Amino acid sequence: FFRLYLKYRDICLMKTMSHIYFLAICYLLSNLSLQAQKLNFVKIQESNDIFSADNNDRYFTQGLKLEVMSNALSRINKKILVDRILIKPPSDSSFANHASISFIQEFYTPSDKTADSILPNDRPFAGVMYLSLRNISVSPKESYRITSDLSIGVLGPAALGREMQNGVHMVFKKQNADTNILGWNYQVKNDLYLNYLLKYEKIMINTKILQTSYIYQFDLGTIYNDFGFGARAQFGIFNSYFDKNLGYIAREDKGSF
């Protein structure tokens, strides 16, 4: 009876999370239209090793990201008090702020996805699904960017990792015959996904064809707790990564950046 209860609870949680994400996206799009603002951009990003020659679903195996960046999101964030959590300097001649929201689903498998038991000292089967609220503040004059990001969602069966991986394999079953991977029976249990990211980027070299910058990043939450630093290099013909439009080409009308 206890196992049946846990299974019923997980099914209810999966349905509830799906409804929450659906309602959140509907709320976002309705507010964007009510604000009479045009979307700055909508970006869909798919990451999957099925597009590579080494298609073995090892470790990170799938990532789906839907991102919306819009002027109207700043007002929405203010309504739901997200502005108090994200770092957002006042917009003026020296700063430009850009708000975005993303829906993200990722899942991971061990080195052998065909294993039908837990593999000791290996990555477990796990899926995550979450919403990411982000603000990017850029100073074109000082050439630096501050990114703050609040992510909230779920880890475990409610993230629908099993359903997504088996579903993708069904679509591409000629390339991958594993349409019912048994290892998902031992995936990480449902838990809260809550993380905060803070990133600082500052320009180092800036020429017409080369731009480099250094990066400091800090993560804190239930999934990631780390600090890192690195560098970024861009070569070619491009708009500056540190201009007011984040390097994108924006239209000069009311709906632009």
Side-chain angles (χ1 to χ4, degrees), residues 58-100:
R58 178 172 176 165
Y59 304 144
F60 176 80
T61 182
Q62 157 73 16
L64 175 64
K65 179 178 180 180
L66 170 63
E67 181 180 6
V68 178
M69 178 172 283
S70 170
N71 295 327
L73 278 169
S74 295
R75 287 183 285 274
I76 297 174
N77 287 345
K78 189 173 182 179
K79 286 181 181 180
I80 61 177
L81 304 180
V82 174
D83 271 5
R84 297 186 179 183
I85 302 174
L86 301 180
I87 295 178
K88 183 180 177 183
S91 294
D92 53 28
S93 59
S94 61
F95 263 106
N97 292 300
H98 302 285
S100 70

Side-chain angles (χ1 to χ4, degrees), residues 15-84:
K15 291 182 177 179
T16 301
M17 291 303 299
S18 299
H19 293 161
I20 289 174
Y21 288 127
F22 175 76
L23 292 174
I25 293 172
C26 289
Y27 173 79
L28 167 66
L29 295 178
S30 65
N31 273 273
L32 293 178
S33 61
L34 288 173
Q35 294 289 346
Q37 294 279 349
K38 296 180 180 179
L39 292 178
N40 290 336
F41 68 73
V42 176
K43 180 168 65 176
I44 299 176
Q45 178 178 320
E46 167 69 17
S47 304
N48 196 304
D49 61 2
I50 199 170
F51 302 118
S52 68
D54 185 22
N55 179 21
N56 58 11
D57 288 325
R58 178 172 176 165
Y59 304 144
F60 176 80
T61 182
Q62 157 73 16
L64 175 64
K65 179 178 180 180
L66 170 63
E67 181 180 6
V68 178
M69 178 172 283
S70 170
N71 295 327
L73 278 169
S74 295
R75 287 183 285 274
I76 297 174
N77 287 345
K78 189 173 182 179
K79 286 181 181 180
I80 61 177
L81 304 180
V82 174
D83 271 5
R84 297 186 179 183

Side-chain angles (χ1 to χ4, degrees), residues 116-229:
D116 57 359
S117 62
I118 298 176
L119 299 179
N121 304 315
D122 204 339
R123 178 185 289 276
F125 282 86
V128 294
M129 184 164 58
Y130 57 95
L131 288 176
S132 171
L133 300 169
R134 172 174 295 191
N135 185 77
I136 301 176
S137 299
V138 59
S139 173
K141 183 178 180 180
E142 302 294 334
S143 296
Y144 69 86
R145 289 169 59 155
I146 300 174
T147 302
S148 52
D149 185 304
L150 176 66
S151 299
I152 183 169
V154 66
L155 161 73
L160 307 178
R162 177 208 297 263
E163 290 78 6
M164 177 62 76
Q165 187 174 46
N166 288 336
V168 170
H169 288 181
M170 281 292 294
V171 174
F172 298 97
K173 58 184 177 181
K174 289 184 179 180
Q175 291 84 3
N176 199 323
D178 298 314
T179 57
N180 184 25
I181 299 176
L182 299 179
W184 282 104
N185 293 327
Y186 308 97
Q187 67 178 300
V188 176
K189 295 181 179 180
N190 284 320
D191 207 342
L192 174 68
Y193 186 111
L194 181 64
N195 254 87
Y196 187 83
L197 174 146
L198 182 61
K199 181 165 65 174
Y200 176 81
E201 300 168 272
K202 174 68 175 177
I203 201 166
M204 292 190 297
I205 301 174
N206 188 27
T207 69
K208 290 184 178 180
I209 61 171
L210 175 65
Q211 189 174 83
T212 66
S213 56
Y214 61 83
I215 304 168
Y216 293 103
Q217 181 171 316
F218 172 77
D219 291 277
L220 179 66
T222 61
I223 305 297
Y224 301 109
N225 291 282
D226 55 56
F227 171 78
F229 61 91

